[in-house]
Amino acid sequence: MATKGRIFAGCTVALATPFRDGEVDEPALRSWVEWQIEQGTPILSPVGTTGEAPTLSHGEHERVIAVVVETAAGRAKVVPGTGSNSTTEAIRLTKFAARAGADGALMVAPYYNRPSQEGLYRHFASVAEAVDLPIMLYNIPARTGRNVEPETVERLAAIETIVAIKEAAGSLDQVSDIIARTNLTVLSGDDSLTLPMLAVGAEGVVSVAANIVPRDVRGLIDDFNAGDAPAARERHARLFPLCRDLLGLAPNPVPLKAALALLGRGNGEIRLPLCPLDESETAKLTRALARYGLLEA
């Protein structure tokens, strides 16, 4: 039986937000969207963690959503991050995304204030009731301080417009429990776990690595869906060291933006409190890109 959010299955790129001299670089953002579409990326997710949403002003956040929707122009689905630790703010951002023409909203669990499971349920339910837009839940307890338990996800799955979940708790048991309890479309929130999660029933990934190698990330999913397990495992083995270094050297998106700069696809600019890689970290990242064949050794 088809899951609720099958329109969001496959590869979604968690888009980085380019900056120049402290401001959002709109021409570079438009170019980045065009490049992703040329690469065949079917779904774009701006203004999430990778898009440095925590350091964007409300106006910048809205503007990035509008620019991505306008540039994509229906050639790729757009599912922007609209979550907040304020339910009122999450509703406001999600309403904006709907008005801008987004295809859905990625809704991270409230961070810092660490609500109870009942509070989490009421938060997500309040947004879903206020805005007629498909919602993809986003569970990443390492950043939010609170796990959205499978029992809570099951309650939320009964709400018509909550259709998918980006699951980044790092637990295959939790993924399996959610799949057993609900008909939500489950997506990996961690590139290195994409293949294991597909094996237990997930249907795609919201990917950081797809900023760099979107065709390869999509190819892994395609190989798995075609029943070619050896090819999927081979792609996983090749992608794994790159994904590890993109996510493990420093907080996301610091290594990603450094990698994009090394590849000539950006200037690497980030905003405080994030800061650039040091020399040894940059050297390790350079070696990882070279091993993958993206740079000359």
Side-chain angles (χ1 to χ4, degrees):
M1 185 175 67
T3 54
K4 288 176 75 177
R6 281 299 300 275
I7 61 169
F8 302 130
C11 178
T12 297
V13 61
L15 279 178
T17 302
F19 299 124
R20 183 169 296 280
D21 300 327
E23 304 293 331
V24 174
D25 187 343
E26 288 192 17
L29 178 60
R30 291 182 188 277
S31 294
W32 194 233
V33 170
E34 290 290 352
W35 186 82
Q36 286 290 338
I37 291 171
E38 288 169 8
Q39 294 296 305
T41 301
I43 309 171
L44 311 173
S45 184
V47 286
T49 304
T50 306
E52 291 177 80
T55 64
L56 298 178
S57 70
H58 291 170
E60 288 174 328
H61 195 129
E62 293 178 353
R63 183 60 185 160
V64 170
I65 293 173
V67 167
V68 173
V69 171
E70 178 185 314
T71 307
R75 295 173 294 164
K77 293 182 177 64
V78 180
V79 185
T82 62
S84 173
N85 61 345
S86 161
T87 304
T88 300
E89 175 62 15
I91 290 171
R92 187 192 68 77
L93 274 173
T94 308
K95 284 183 174 180
F96 177 85
R99 291 195 305 272
D103 299 282
L106 178 65
M107 185 71 51
V108 72
Y111 38 87
Y112 187 76
N113 40 23
R114 303 181 74 244
S116 65
Q117 293 301 307
E118 180 63 23
L120 289 168
Y121 173 81
R122 294 187 188 187
H123 171 83
F124 289 121
S126 294
V127 180
E129 290 166 6
V131 190
D132 186 18
L133 193 68
I135 291 174
M136 182 189 298
L137 307 175
Y138 180 15
N139 183 37
I140 182 164
R143 285 185 179 266
T144 65
R146 182 70 77 201
N147 186 45
V148 185
E149 299 291 342
E151 296 85 354
T152 304
V153 177
E154 183 178 16
R155 291 178 67 194
L156 290 165
I159 299 171
E160 182 179 0
T161 55
I162 294 178
V163 302
I165 181 168
K166 176 185 176 183
E167 178 53 53
S171 168
L172 290 177
D173 280 359
Q174 178 149 310
V175 171
S176 298
D177 200 358
I178 291 168
I179 290 170
R181 289 173 179 269
T182 79
N183 66 338
L184 295 179
T185 299
V186 177
L187 304 169
S188 173
D190 187 336
D191 277 290
S192 64
L193 288 179
T194 300
L195 181 57
M197 285 182 60
L198 290 173
V200 299
E203 297 179 66
V205 61
V206 182
S207 173
V208 176
N211 278 278
I212 295 176
V213 287
R215 291 183 185 273
D216 291 353
V217 175
R218 197 170 72 253
L220 185 156
I221 298 168
D222 290 345
D223 286 342
F224 181 87
N225 289 338
D228 192 343
R233 287 196 299 266
E234 184 177 341
R235 285 190 189 270
H236 170 77
R238 184 164 183 250
L239 280 162
F240 179 78
L242 181 66
C243 296
R244 176 192 58 205
D245 289 337
L246 282 176
L247 295 169
L249 284 174
N252 181 37
V254 175
L256 169 63
K257 281 199 161 178
L260 290 170
L262 288 167
L263 296 171
R265 300 182 193 166
N267 58 16
E269 185 173 330
I270 50 180
R271 283 182 172 175
L272 288 170
L274 300 180
C275 56
L277 299 179
D278 62 26
E279 286 187 12
S280 64
E281 292 165 338
T282 300
K284 184 174 182 180
L285 179 60
T286 301
R287 289 193 296 271
L289 294 171
R291 282 196 301 269
Y292 200 88
L294 296 168
L295 289 176
E296 292 186 9

mmCIF file of all heavy atoms in Angstrom, residues 63-112:
data_model
loop_
_atom_site.group_PDB
_atom_site.id
_atom_site.type_symbol
_atom_site.label_atom_id
_atom_site.label_comp_id
_atom_site.label_asym_id
_atom_site.label_seq_id
_atom_site.Cartn_x
_atom_site.Cartn_y
_atom_site.Cartn_z
ATOM 1 N N ARG A 63 12.473 35.187 2.234
ATOM 2 C CA ARG A 63 12.991 35.518 0.911
ATOM 3 C C ARG A 63 13.641 34.307 0.260
ATOM 4 O O ARG A 63 13.470 34.074 -0.950
ATOM 5 C CB ARG A 63 13.995 36.678 1.009
ATOM 6 C CG ARG A 63 14.538 37.142 -0.331
ATOM 7 C CD ARG A 63 13.435 37.630 -1.254
ATOM 8 N NE ARG A 63 13.962 37.964 -2.584
ATOM 9 C CZ ARG A 63 13.208 38.033 -3.665
ATOM 10 N NH1 ARG A 63 11.899 37.808 -3.598
ATOM 11 N NH2 ARG A 63 13.754 38.329 -4.837
ATOM 12 N N VAL A 64 14.377 33.509 1.014
ATOM 13 C CA VAL A 64 14.993 32.307 0.448
ATOM 14 C C VAL A 64 13.912 31.352 -0.051
ATOM 15 O O VAL A 64 14.022 30.794 -1.152
ATOM 16 C CB VAL A 64 15.917 31.623 1.475
ATOM 17 C CG1 VAL A 64 16.362 30.251 0.970
ATOM 18 C CG2 VAL A 64 17.142 32.488 1.759
ATOM 19 N N ILE A 65 12.863 31.164 0.727
ATOM 20 C CA ILE A 65 11.757 30.311 0.276
ATOM 21 C C ILE A 65 11.207 30.825 -1.047
ATOM 22 O O ILE A 65 11.033 30.069 -2.010
ATOM 23 C CB ILE A 65 10.640 30.248 1.336
ATOM 24 C CG1 ILE A 65 11.121 29.531 2.597
ATOM 25 C CG2 ILE A 65 9.399 29.544 0.764
ATOM 26 C CD1 ILE A 65 10.135 29.584 3.750
ATOM 27 N N ALA A 66 10.920 32.120 -1.103
ATOM 28 C CA ALA A 66 10.323 32.709 -2.303
ATOM 29 C C ALA A 66 11.232 32.555 -3.510
ATOM 30 O O ALA A 66 10.770 32.225 -4.617
ATOM 31 C CB ALA A 66 10.004 34.181 -2.057
ATOM 32 N N VAL A 67 12.531 32.791 -3.334
ATOM 33 C CA VAL A 67 13.477 32.694 -4.449
ATOM 34 C C VAL A 67 13.564 31.261 -4.968
ATOM 35 O O VAL A 67 13.579 31.023 -6.184
ATOM 36 C CB VAL A 67 14.866 33.212 -4.021
ATOM 37 C CG1 VAL A 67 15.934 32.835 -5.043
ATOM 38 C CG2 VAL A 67 14.839 34.723 -3.819
ATOM 39 N N VAL A 68 13.614 30.291 -4.063
ATOM 40 C CA VAL A 68 13.730 28.897 -4.491
ATOM 41 C C VAL A 68 12.465 28.449 -5.223
ATOM 42 O O VAL A 68 12.540 27.805 -6.281
ATOM 43 C CB VAL A 68 14.041 27.976 -3.290
ATOM 44 C CG1 VAL A 68 13.986 26.507 -3.703
ATOM 45 C CG2 VAL A 68 15.419 28.310 -2.716
ATOM 46 N N VAL A 69 11.295 28.800 -4.684
ATOM 47 C CA VAL A 69 10.042 28.432 -5.356
ATOM 48 C C VAL A 69 9.961 29.081 -6.728
ATOM 49 O O VAL A 69 9.628 28.435 -7.733
ATOM 50 C CB VAL A 69 8.826 28.840 -4.493
ATOM 51 C CG1 VAL A 69 7.525 28.672 -5.287
ATOM 52 C CG2 VAL A 69 8.768 28.025 -3.210
ATOM 53 N N GLU A 70 10.292 30.362 -6.790
ATOM 54 C CA GLU A 70 10.224 31.099 -8.054
ATOM 55 C C GLU A 70 11.191 30.527 -9.079
ATOM 56 O O GLU A 70 10.855 30.355 -10.257
ATOM 57 C CB GLU A 70 10.539 32.570 -7.800
ATOM 58 C CG GLU A 70 10.563 33.445 -9.032
ATOM 59 C CD GLU A 70 10.991 34.860 -8.704
ATOM 60 O OE1 GLU A 70 10.477 35.434 -7.716
ATOM 61 O OE2 GLU A 70 11.858 35.395 -9.424
ATOM 62 N N THR A 71 12.410 30.201 -8.655
ATOM 63 C CA THR A 71 13.417 29.691 -9.589
ATOM 64 C C THR A 71 13.092 28.279 -10.038
ATOM 65 O O THR A 71 13.249 27.936 -11.216
ATOM 66 C CB THR A 71 14.812 29.740 -8.939
ATOM 67 O OG1 THR A 71 15.071 31.055 -8.442
ATOM 68 C CG2 THR A 71 15.887 29.358 -9.936
ATOM 69 N N ALA A 72 12.638 27.451 -9.107
ATOM 70 C CA ALA A 72 12.280 26.075 -9.474
ATOM 71 C C ALA A 72 11.127 26.057 -10.463
ATOM 72 O O ALA A 72 11.098 25.231 -11.389
ATOM 73 C CB ALA A 72 11.918 25.279 -8.234
ATOM 74 N N ALA A 73 10.181 26.951 -10.287
ATOM 75 C CA ALA A 73 9.078 27.140 -11.242
ATOM 76 C C ALA A 73 8.401 25.823 -11.635
ATOM 77 O O ALA A 73 8.122 25.577 -12.810
ATOM 78 C CB ALA A 73 9.589 27.868 -12.493
ATOM 79 N N GLY A 74 8.193 24.972 -10.635
ATOM 80 C CA GLY A 74 7.494 23.727 -10.891
ATOM 81 C C GLY A 74 8.344 22.609 -11.445
ATOM 82 O O GLY A 74 7.858 21.483 -11.625
ATOM 83 N N ARG A 75 9.616 22.871 -11.729
ATOM 84 C CA ARG A 75 10.485 21.828 -12.288
ATOM 85 C C ARG A 75 11.007 20.878 -11.220
ATOM 86 O O ARG A 75 11.512 19.793 -11.531
ATOM 87 C CB ARG A 75 11.654 22.479 -13.033
ATOM 88 C CG ARG A 75 11.230 23.275 -14.260
ATOM 89 C CD ARG A 75 12.412 24.038 -14.837
ATOM 90 N NE ARG A 75 12.884 25.064 -13.920
ATOM 91 C CZ ARG A 75 14.074 25.670 -14.024
ATOM 92 N NH1 ARG A 75 14.904 25.310 -15.005
ATOM 93 N NH2 ARG A 75 14.419 26.608 -13.168
ATOM 94 N N ALA A 76 10.928 21.296 -9.985
ATOM 95 C CA ALA A 76 11.250 20.451 -8.833
ATOM 96 C C ALA A 76 10.316 20.862 -7.711
ATOM 97 O O ALA A 76 9.909 22.029 -7.620
ATOM 98 C CB ALA A 76 12.703 20.626 -8.403
ATOM 99 N N LYS A 77 9.957 19.917 -6.863
ATOM 100 C CA LYS A 77 9.147 20.249 -5.700
ATOM 101 C C LYS A 77 10.010 21.007 -4.687
ATOM 102 O O LYS A 77 11.222 20.793 -4.593
ATOM 103 C CB LYS A 77 8.563 18.990 -5.077
ATOM 104 C CG LYS A 77 7.542 18.287 -5.962
ATOM 105 C CD LYS A 77 6.978 17.069 -5.263
ATOM 106 C CE LYS A 77 5.904 16.411 -6.120
ATOM 107 N NZ LYS A 77 6.486 15.884 -7.385
ATOM 108 N N VAL A 78 9.377 21.889 -3.914
ATOM 109 C CA VAL A 78 10.081 22.669 -2.904
ATOM 110 C C VAL A 78 9.416 22.431 -1.544
ATOM 111 O O VAL A 78 8.213 22.654 -1.389
ATOM 112 C CB VAL A 78 10.073 24.171 -3.243
ATOM 113 C CG1 VAL A 78 10.814 24.963 -2.171
ATOM 114 C CG2 VAL A 78 10.701 24.412 -4.613
ATOM 115 N N VAL A 79 10.232 21.954 -0.588
ATOM 116 C CA VAL A 79 9.737 21.655 0.762
ATOM 117 C C VAL A 79 10.633 22.392 1.756
ATOM 118 O O VAL A 79 11.602 21.833 2.280
ATOM 119 C CB VAL A 79 9.743 20.137 1.039
ATOM 120 C CG1 VAL A 79 9.111 19.834 2.398
ATOM 121 C CG2 VAL A 79 8.992 19.390 -0.059
ATOM 122 N N PRO A 80 10.352 23.673 2.013
ATOM 123 C CA PRO A 80 11.236 24.453 2.879
ATOM 124 C C PRO A 80 11.064 24.107 4.351
ATOM 125 O O PRO A 80 10.006 23.634 4.780
ATOM 126 C CB PRO A 80 10.783 25.893 2.608
ATOM 127 C CG PRO A 80 9.343 25.765 2.250
ATOM 128 C CD PRO A 80 9.242 24.474 1.488
ATOM 129 N N GLY A 81 12.107 24.356 5.111
ATOM 130 C CA GLY A 81 12.012 24.261 6.557
ATOM 131 C C GLY A 81 11.199 25.420 7.099
ATOM 132 O O GLY A 81 11.485 26.578 6.791
ATOM 133 N N THR A 82 10.171 25.118 7.892
ATOM 134 C CA THR A 82 9.347 26.173 8.485
ATOM 135 C C THR A 82 9.136 25.937 9.977
ATOM 136 O O THR A 82 8.211 26.471 10.570
ATOM 137 C CB THR A 82 7.972 26.269 7.782
ATOM 138 O OG1 THR A 82 7.267 25.033 7.960
ATOM 139 C CG2 THR A 82 8.121 26.565 6.298
ATOM 140 N N GLY A 83 9.993 25.120 10.568
ATOM 141 C CA GLY A 83 9.840 24.801 11.982
ATOM 142 C C GLY A 83 10.377 25.897 12.884
ATOM 143 O O GLY A 83 11.140 26.768 12.475
ATOM 144 N N SER A 84 9.967 25.834 14.136
ATOM 145 C CA SER A 84 10.421 26.791 15.149
ATOM 146 C C SER A 84 10.148 26.181 16.521
ATOM 147 O O SER A 84 9.350 25.245 16.650
ATOM 148 C CB SER A 84 9.662 28.113 15.004
ATOM 149 O OG SER A 84 9.964 28.995 16.077
ATOM 150 N N ASN A 85 10.805 26.717 17.549
ATOM 151 C CA ASN A 85 10.437 26.306 18.900
ATOM 152 C C ASN A 85 9.281 27.145 19.438
ATOM 153 O O ASN A 85 8.854 26.969 20.572
ATOM 154 C CB ASN A 85 11.632 26.347 19.850
ATOM 155 C CG ASN A 85 12.219 27.730 20.001
ATOM 156 O OD1 ASN A 85 11.939 28.632 19.216
ATOM 157 N ND2 ASN A 85 13.050 27.907 21.013
ATOM 158 N N SER A 86 8.763 28.030 18.619
ATOM 159 C CA SER A 86 7.532 28.772 18.906
ATOM 160 C C SER A 86 6.460 28.273 17.943
ATOM 161 O O SER A 86 6.616 28.379 16.724
ATOM 162 C CB SER A 86 7.755 30.278 18.707
ATOM 163 O OG SER A 86 6.529 30.954 18.541
ATOM 164 N N THR A 87 5.393 27.737 18.473
ATOM 165 C CA THR A 87 4.321 27.232 17.612
ATOM 166 C C THR A 87 3.745 28.346 16.756
ATOM 167 O O THR A 87 3.472 28.157 15.558
ATOM 168 C CB THR A 87 3.229 26.574 18.459
ATOM 169 O OG1 THR A 87 3.816 25.550 19.266
ATOM 170 C CG2 THR A 87 2.143 25.954 17.583
ATOM 171 N N THR A 88 3.586 29.520 17.333
ATOM 172 C CA THR A 88 3.053 30.658 16.580
ATOM 173 C C THR A 88 3.946 31.003 15.399
ATOM 174 O O THR A 88 3.469 31.256 14.287
ATOM 175 C CB THR A 88 2.899 31.889 17.501
ATOM 176 O OG1 THR A 88 2.007 31.565 18.566
ATOM 177 C CG2 THR A 88 2.357 33.085 16.736
ATOM 178 N N GLU A 89 5.264 30.991 15.622
ATOM 179 C CA GLU A 89 6.204 31.306 14.548
ATOM 180 C C GLU A 89 6.196 30.213 13.484
ATOM 181 O O GLU A 89 6.274 30.497 12.280
ATOM 182 C CB GLU A 89 7.612 31.490 15.115
ATOM 183 C CG GLU A 89 8.706 31.702 14.091
ATOM 184 C CD GLU A 89 8.532 32.961 13.248
ATOM 185 O OE1 GLU A 89 7.723 33.839 13.624
ATOM 186 O OE2 GLU A 89 9.204 33.059 12.211
ATOM 187 N N ALA A 90 6.099 28.950 13.908
ATOM 188 C CA ALA A 90 6.038 27.856 12.939
ATOM 189 C C ALA A 90 4.801 27.977 12.053
ATOM 190 O O ALA A 90 4.861 27.734 10.840
ATOM 191 C CB ALA A 90 6.054 26.515 13.662
ATOM 192 N N ILE A 91 3.688 28.361 12.636
ATOM 193 C CA ILE A 91 2.466 28.566 11.854
ATOM 194 C C ILE A 91 2.661 29.715 10.870
ATOM 195 O O ILE A 91 2.303 29.612 9.683
ATOM 196 C CB ILE A 91 1.264 28.832 12.781
ATOM 197 C CG1 ILE A 91 0.897 27.559 13.552
ATOM 198 C CG2 ILE A 91 0.065 29.346 11.985
ATOM 199 C CD1 ILE A 91 -0.135 27.765 14.641
ATOM 200 N N ARG A 92 3.262 30.800 11.329
ATOM 201 C CA ARG A 92 3.458 31.953 10.454
ATOM 202 C C ARG A 92 4.347 31.599 9.272
ATOM 203 O O ARG A 92 4.024 31.915 8.115
ATOM 204 C CB ARG A 92 4.090 33.111 11.246
ATOM 205 C CG ARG A 92 4.168 34.422 10.457
ATOM 206 C CD ARG A 92 5.048 35.437 11.146
ATOM 207 N NE ARG A 92 6.452 35.046 11.140
ATOM 208 C CZ ARG A 92 7.246 35.161 10.080
ATOM 209 N NH1 ARG A 92 6.782 35.649 8.943
ATOM 210 N NH2 ARG A 92 8.507 34.786 10.146
ATOM 211 N N LEU A 93 5.464 30.920 9.542
ATOM 212 C CA LEU A 93 6.382 30.552 8.460
ATOM 213 C C LEU A 93 5.738 29.563 7.485
ATOM 214 O O LEU A 93 5.931 29.654 6.270
ATOM 215 C CB LEU A 93 7.655 29.930 9.043
ATOM 216 C CG LEU A 93 8.773 30.884 9.456
ATOM 217 C CD1 LEU A 93 9.875 30.109 10.168
ATOM 218 C CD2 LEU A 93 9.337 31.629 8.257
ATOM 219 N N THR A 94 4.965 28.628 8.022
ATOM 220 C CA THR A 94 4.331 27.637 7.158
ATOM 221 C C THR A 94 3.253 28.279 6.297
ATOM 222 O O THR A 94 3.085 27.931 5.113
ATOM 223 C CB THR A 94 3.761 26.482 8.003
ATOM 224 O OG1 THR A 94 4.794 25.985 8.871
ATOM 225 C CG2 THR A 94 3.283 25.341 7.121
ATOM 226 N N LYS A 95 2.519 29.226 6.860
ATOM 227 C CA LYS A 95 1.540 29.968 6.055
ATOM 228 C C LYS A 95 2.233 30.736 4.935
ATOM 229 O O LYS A 95 1.738 30.787 3.800
ATOM 230 C CB LYS A 95 0.742 30.930 6.941
ATOM 231 C CG LYS A 95 -0.320 30.254 7.794
ATOM 232 C CD LYS A 95 -1.110 31.284 8.597
ATOM 233 C CE LYS A 95 -2.268 30.635 9.337
ATOM 234 N NZ LYS A 95 -3.051 31.614 10.134
ATOM 235 N N PHE A 96 3.403 31.314 5.244
ATOM 236 C CA PHE A 96 4.139 32.014 4.194
ATOM 237 C C PHE A 96 4.546 31.047 3.092
ATOM 238 O O PHE A 96 4.407 31.350 1.895
ATOM 239 C CB PHE A 96 5.375 32.718 4.744
ATOM 240 C CG PHE A 96 6.180 33.379 3.662
ATOM 241 C CD1 PHE A 96 5.862 34.650 3.236
ATOM 242 C CD2 PHE A 96 7.211 32.702 3.018
ATOM 243 C CE1 PHE A 96 6.557 35.252 2.189
ATOM 244 C CE2 PHE A 96 7.918 33.286 1.981
ATOM 245 C CZ PHE A 96 7.589 34.568 1.563
ATOM 246 N N ALA A 97 5.065 29.876 3.477
ATOM 247 C CA ALA A 97 5.487 28.896 2.478
ATOM 248 C C ALA A 97 4.323 28.497 1.577
ATOM 249 O O ALA A 97 4.481 28.351 0.355
ATOM 250 C CB ALA A 97 6.072 27.669 3.166
ATOM 251 N N ALA A 98 3.150 28.330 2.172
ATOM 252 C CA ALA A 98 1.974 27.978 1.377
ATOM 253 C C ALA A 98 1.627 29.092 0.387
ATOM 254 O O ALA A 98 1.355 28.830 -0.788
ATOM 255 C CB ALA A 98 0.794 27.689 2.299
ATOM 256 N N ARG A 99 1.669 30.338 0.859
ATOM 257 C CA ARG A 99 1.361 31.467 -0.034
ATOM 258 C C ARG A 99 2.392 31.584 -1.154
ATOM 259 O O ARG A 99 2.067 31.966 -2.284
ATOM 260 C CB ARG A 99 1.310 32.779 0.756
ATOM 261 C CG ARG A 99 0.136 32.905 1.696
ATOM 262 C CD ARG A 99 -0.045 34.347 2.147
ATOM 263 N NE ARG A 99 1.146 34.914 2.754
ATOM 264 C CZ ARG A 99 1.447 34.830 4.054
ATOM 265 N NH1 ARG A 99 0.631 34.177 4.880
ATOM 266 N NH2 ARG A 99 2.545 35.381 4.529
ATOM 267 N N ALA A 100 3.652 31.250 -0.842
ATOM 268 C CA ALA A 100 4.726 31.373 -1.832
ATOM 269 C C ALA A 100 4.654 30.290 -2.902
ATOM 270 O O ALA A 100 5.313 30.394 -3.932
ATOM 271 C CB ALA A 100 6.083 31.328 -1.134
ATOM 272 N N GLY A 101 3.878 29.241 -2.642
ATOM 273 C CA GLY A 101 3.737 28.178 -3.630
ATOM 274 C C GLY A 101 4.554 26.935 -3.344
ATOM 275 O O GLY A 101 4.733 26.106 -4.248
ATOM 276 N N ALA A 102 5.024 26.762 -2.102
ATOM 277 C CA ALA A 102 5.771 25.556 -1.756
ATOM 278 C C ALA A 102 4.877 24.328 -1.851
ATOM 279 O O ALA A 102 3.650 24.406 -1.727
ATOM 280 C CB ALA A 102 6.346 25.678 -0.346
ATOM 281 N N ASP A 103 5.506 23.175 -2.071
ATOM 282 C CA ASP A 103 4.777 21.920 -2.208
ATOM 283 C C ASP A 103 4.561 21.212 -0.879
ATOM 284 O O ASP A 103 3.768 20.271 -0.798
ATOM 285 C CB ASP A 103 5.535 20.987 -3.152
ATOM 286 C CG ASP A 103 5.688 21.582 -4.536
ATOM 287 O OD1 ASP A 103 4.706 21.544 -5.298
ATOM 288 O OD2 ASP A 103 6.772 22.122 -4.834
ATOM 289 N N GLY A 104 5.255 21.633 0.134
ATOM 290 C CA GLY A 104 5.141 21.047 1.458
ATOM 291 C C GLY A 104 5.998 21.846 2.413
ATOM 292 O O GLY A 104 6.617 22.851 2.034
ATOM 293 N N ALA A 105 6.033 21.398 3.677
ATOM 294 C CA ALA A 105 6.850 22.073 4.681
ATOM 295 C C ALA A 105 7.564 21.031 5.529
ATOM 296 O O ALA A 105 6.964 20.023 5.925
ATOM 297 C CB ALA A 105 5.987 22.965 5.568
ATOM 298 N N LEU A 106 8.842 21.263 5.771
ATOM 299 C CA LEU A 106 9.642 20.413 6.650
ATOM 300 C C LEU A 106 9.585 21.017 8.047
ATOM 301 O O LEU A 106 10.029 22.153 8.258
ATOM 302 C CB LEU A 106 11.084 20.350 6.142
ATOM 303 C CG LEU A 106 12.065 19.535 6.983
ATOM 304 C CD1 LEU A 106 11.691 18.057 6.985
ATOM 305 C CD2 LEU A 106 13.490 19.722 6.459
ATOM 306 N N MET A 107 9.063 20.258 9.006
ATOM 307 C CA MET A 107 8.751 20.811 10.325
ATOM 308 C C MET A 107 9.591 20.131 11.402
ATOM 309 O O MET A 107 9.298 19.033 11.851
ATOM 310 C CB MET A 107 7.260 20.591 10.602
ATOM 311 C CG MET A 107 6.731 21.211 11.863
ATOM 312 S SD MET A 107 6.645 22.998 11.781
ATOM 313 C CE MET A 107 5.748 23.234 10.252
ATOM 314 N N VAL A 108 10.670 20.786 11.811
ATOM 315 C CA VAL A 108 11.537 20.235 12.846
ATOM 316 C C VAL A 108 10.832 20.290 14.199
ATOM 317 O O VAL A 108 10.002 21.163 14.455
ATOM 318 C CB VAL A 108 12.874 21.000 12.891
ATOM 319 C CG1 VAL A 108 12.705 22.404 13.479
ATOM 320 C CG2 VAL A 108 13.936 20.217 13.663
ATOM 321 N N ALA A 109 11.157 19.337 15.052
ATOM 322 C CA ALA A 109 10.617 19.360 16.412
ATOM 323 C C ALA A 109 11.114 20.608 17.132
ATOM 324 O O ALA A 109 12.236 21.063 16.906
ATOM 325 C CB ALA A 109 11.054 18.102 17.162
ATOM 326 N N PRO A 110 10.286 21.183 17.993
ATOM 327 C CA PRO A 110 10.722 22.372 18.736
ATOM 328 C C PRO A 110 12.012 22.090 19.506
ATOM 329 O O PRO A 110 12.154 21.050 20.154
ATOM 330 C CB PRO A 110 9.550 22.636 19.691
ATOM 331 C CG PRO A 110 8.385 22.002 19.043
ATOM 332 C CD PRO A 110 8.917 20.796 18.320
ATOM 333 N N TYR A 111 12.938 23.012 19.398
ATOM 334 C CA TYR A 111 14.260 22.848 19.997
ATOM 335 C C TYR A 111 14.388 23.729 21.241
ATOM 336 O O TYR A 111 13.658 24.693 21.432
ATOM 337 C CB TYR A 111 15.350 23.215 18.979
ATOM 338 C CG TYR A 111 14.965 24.402 18.119
ATOM 339 C CD1 TYR A 111 15.222 25.702 18.528
ATOM 340 C CD2 TYR A 111 14.299 24.215 16.908
ATOM 341 C CE1 TYR A 111 14.839 26.785 17.755
ATOM 342 C CE2 TYR A 111 13.916 25.287 16.127
ATOM 343 C CZ TYR A 111 14.181 26.573 16.554
ATOM 344 O OH TYR A 111 13.793 27.641 15.806
ATOM 345 N N TYR A 112 15.289 23.381 22.081
ATOM 346 C CA TYR A 112 15.683 24.116 23.283
ATOM 347 C C TYR A 112 14.659 24.036 24.405
ATOM 348 O O TYR A 112 15.016 23.760 25.553
ATOM 349 C CB TYR A 112 16.006 25.589 22.985
ATOM 350 C CG TYR A 112 16.572 26.307 24.205
ATOM 351 C CD1 TYR A 112 17.885 26.088 24.588
ATOM 352 C CD2 TYR A 112 15.782 27.138 24.986
ATOM 353 C CE1 TYR A 112 18.397 26.698 25.722
ATOM 354 C CE2 TYR A 112 16.287 27.749 26.118
ATOM 355 C CZ TYR A 112 17.589 27.526 26.480
ATOM 356 O OH TYR A 112 18.096 28.117 27.608
#
